[in-house]
Amino acid sequence: MTQVKYHRILLKLSGDALMGGRRTGIDAETLANIADEVGELPKMGVQTAIVIGGGNIFRGVTAATEGIDRVAGDHMGMLATVINALALQDAL
């Protein structure tokens, strides 16, 4: 087994990391590659917490500049984050 420096980590994934070569959304191959790499961590004895963004689907700040209410835009961005979390959970 590989010696690891840290046994607990916090991994922050930008929603943009899930796009691969796409302009928006989730690229299935990129998602699978990330899941494969993250899936190796427990085998190495590393406990991992994951924080994921939703910018690949929706950006509340951008929507606010285009006339959508800021609070509604932020809520929409939170839903995008949940979508990414569900996709990553499924891939793992």
Side-chain angles (χ1 to χ4, degrees), residues 22-62:
R22 299 172 55 132
R23 290 182 50 141
T24 62
I26 300 169
D27 178 68
E29 184 177 339
T30 300
L31 179 64
N33 289 339
I34 290 171
D36 287 345
E37 289 186 24
V38 171
E40 291 297 314
L41 294 170
K43 296 175 187 174
M44 298 167 55
V46 178
Q47 295 177 346
T48 308
I50 302 173
V51 176
I52 194 161
N56 58 317
I57 298 172
F58 190 85
R59 293 189 185 275
V61 173
T62 302

Side-chain angles (χ1 to χ4, degrees):
M1 181 182 281
T2 304
Q3 274 299 70
V4 294
K5 185 172 181 177
Y6 300 103
H7 295 280
R8 287 187 178 156
I9 63 169
L10 172 65
L11 175 63
K12 184 353 182 147
L13 291 174
S14 166
D16 291 352
L18 302 180
M19 291 191 309
R22 299 172 55 132
R23 290 182 50 141
T24 62
I26 300 169
D27 178 68
E29 184 177 339
T30 300
L31 179 64
N33 289 339
I34 290 171
D36 287 345
E37 289 186 24
V38 171
E40 291 297 314
L41 294 170
K43 296 175 187 174
M44 298 167 55
V46 178
Q47 295 177 346
T48 308
I50 302 173
V51 176
I52 194 161
N56 58 317
I57 298 172
F58 190 85
R59 293 189 185 275
V61 173
T62 302
T65 65
E66 296 173 0
I68 294 177
D69 176 71
R70 176 64 192 260
V71 173
D74 286 344
H75 290 162
M76 294 165 76
M78 286 185 255
L79 288 173
T81 298
V82 171
I83 290 168
N84 283 342
L86 290 169
L88 183 58
Q89 176 184 329
D90 182 64
L92 287 169

